Amino acid sequence: MDDPTDAQDVRRARVWLWAARPKTLGAAVAPVLVGTGMAVEAGAGHLPSAVLALAGAILIQVGVNYHNDYADYVQGADTQDRVGPLRVTQAGLVSPETMRRATILVFGLAVMAGLYLIVRGGWPILAVGGASIGAAVWYTAGRYSLAALGLADGFVFAFFGPVAVGGAYYVQALSLPLEVLVAGTGPGLLSIGILLVNNVRDVAEDRRAGKRTLIVRFGRRFGVAAYGGCMAAALLLSAVLATGVLGTTSHPWAALPLGLFPLAIESVRRLSNTTDPQKLNPLLGATGRLLVLWALLFAVGWNL
């Protein structure tokens, strides 16, 4: 006979996994893959730093998701009419205080993962880590949060794009060439794509809650166009970088992400044609997978 305590532990673990929103974690993994791939090609790969950078990035993303789960419930943005993925605080599976404590714990673990990186990389890594956690908390921190002001897209681009890729490269190579920051715009653009799907789906809820997202301000058609633009720009960027236009040696295989165009076109079509908000949930995962595939193909191609 199964131990009921074991079954309870499994259910509890599932709740915390739901709260972590695994489909969004590609936004944390992808920039570390790109930065590490470019560091390896430069002969500067450093495994301990790469592993800790990946751990820190994932922990910060989980912390963001936990804090969003808590803050959106407390501020009334998550209601029983929610159409997005399950929010465990709103569903009554975790108390607000427990979620707040879990958020602090996860951010604390991220700081611990970054201690070695700070010692190795110095004040730039301390600044990046502190700014990343600060932006994560500000994302849904009240009336003047990034989400409420409609500024989240720019911060997502920066912190999941050039900042994250540059940080992952810097902690290994202890230098930061221009092409690394430019390559970071690829994951940054695709991360905006994840946010756009989320905001197109939640536009009605966000309008009621007073969140001035770009979709609330400019409408659904703008969101679809912006999503398509982010997809196309990220894929074309790989081809530009492959030519060595920034003064580096050409890396023809770095254009491998161009092969993702059919997937990107299908994703844009789904966003354009799907008007039922609940049916957009799978597109979040599909966009996250496209982001990780872009990072993998670019990192591998940069080294061929």
Side-chain angles (χ1 to χ4, degrees):
M1 181 180 294
D2 292 337
D3 187 340
T5 303
D6 291 340
Q8 259 190 345
D9 289 342
V10 170
R11 285 194 295 271
R12 193 174 294 115
R14 285 177 180 169
V15 167
W16 289 109
L17 182 62
W18 290 332
R21 300 177 66 190
K23 291 181 181 179
T24 68
L25 298 185
V29 173
V32 179
L33 291 177
V34 173
T36 298
M38 297 184 82
V40 169
E41 190 276 338
H46 189 258
L47 183 59
S49 296
V51 170
L52 287 170
L54 180 61
I58 291 173
L59 285 166
I60 289 175
Q61 180 62 43
V62 171
V64 169
N65 292 337
Y66 282 5
H67 185 260
N68 289 353
D69 199 297
Y70 163 78
D72 280 348
Y73 173 76
V74 171
Q75 295 164 20
D78 281 348
T79 68
Q80 60 185 3
D81 297 325
R82 177 174 170 78
V83 296
L86 176 72
R87 291 290 184 93
V88 300
T89 310
Q90 184 273 326
L93 298 173
V94 174
S95 72
E97 181 60 24
T98 299
M99 183 57 73
R100 188 184 70 84
R101 291 176 180 174
T103 300
I104 295 171
L105 173 62
V106 171
F107 281 141
L109 291 173
V111 170
M112 291 179 63
L115 290 177
Y116 171 78
L117 300 179
I118 293 170
V119 171
R120 177 175 170 81
W123 70 264
I125 300 304
L126 176 61
V128 167
S132 297
I133 293 176
V137 173
W138 188 16
Y139 188 86
T140 49
R143 181 179 177 185
Y144 298 105
S145 68
L146 295 173
L149 296 173
L151 300 175
D153 305 77
F155 278 77
V156 164
F157 171 78
F159 284 97
F160 290 98
V163 171
V165 172
Y169 184 96
Y170 183 82
V171 295
Q172 297 179 69
L174 301 181
S175 63
L176 190 56
L178 175 62
E179 64 268 18
V180 175
L181 293 176
V182 175
T185 64
L189 288 165
L190 293 171
S191 294
I192 290 178
I194 295 175
L195 181 61
L196 286 168
V197 174
N198 185 81
N199 290 347
V200 167
R201 183 201 63 206
D202 292 345
V203 62
E205 292 178 41
D206 289 343
R207 189 175 287 116
R208 286 193 297 268
K211 285 187 177 182
R212 300 289 293 165
T213 68
L214 293 182
I215 312 304
V216 170
R217 292 178 185 223
F218 303 114
R220 190 180 195 282
R221 186 175 298 178
F222 168 85
V224 174
Y227 181 81
C230 286
M231 298 293 109
L235 297 179
L236 291 173
L237 172 70
S238 65
V240 172
L241 286 168
T243 65
V245 69
L246 296 179
T248 63
T249 304
S250 63
H251 296 79
W253 289 102
L256 280 173
L258 287 175
L260 298 173
F261 254 112
L263 293 178
I265 292 171
E266 173 60 17
S267 293
V268 175
R269 187 194 66 81
R270 288 171 63 186
L271 182 61
S272 178
N273 295 341
T274 304
T275 55
D276 182 348
Q278 290 186 337
K279 292 182 179 178
L280 285 175
N281 288 330
L283 187 55
L284 282 172
T287 307
R289 287 190 293 273
L290 196 148
L291 167 58
V292 173
L293 284 172
W294 189 99
L296 281 170
L297 290 173
F298 180 83
V300 170
W302 193 260
N303 280 274
L304 292 179

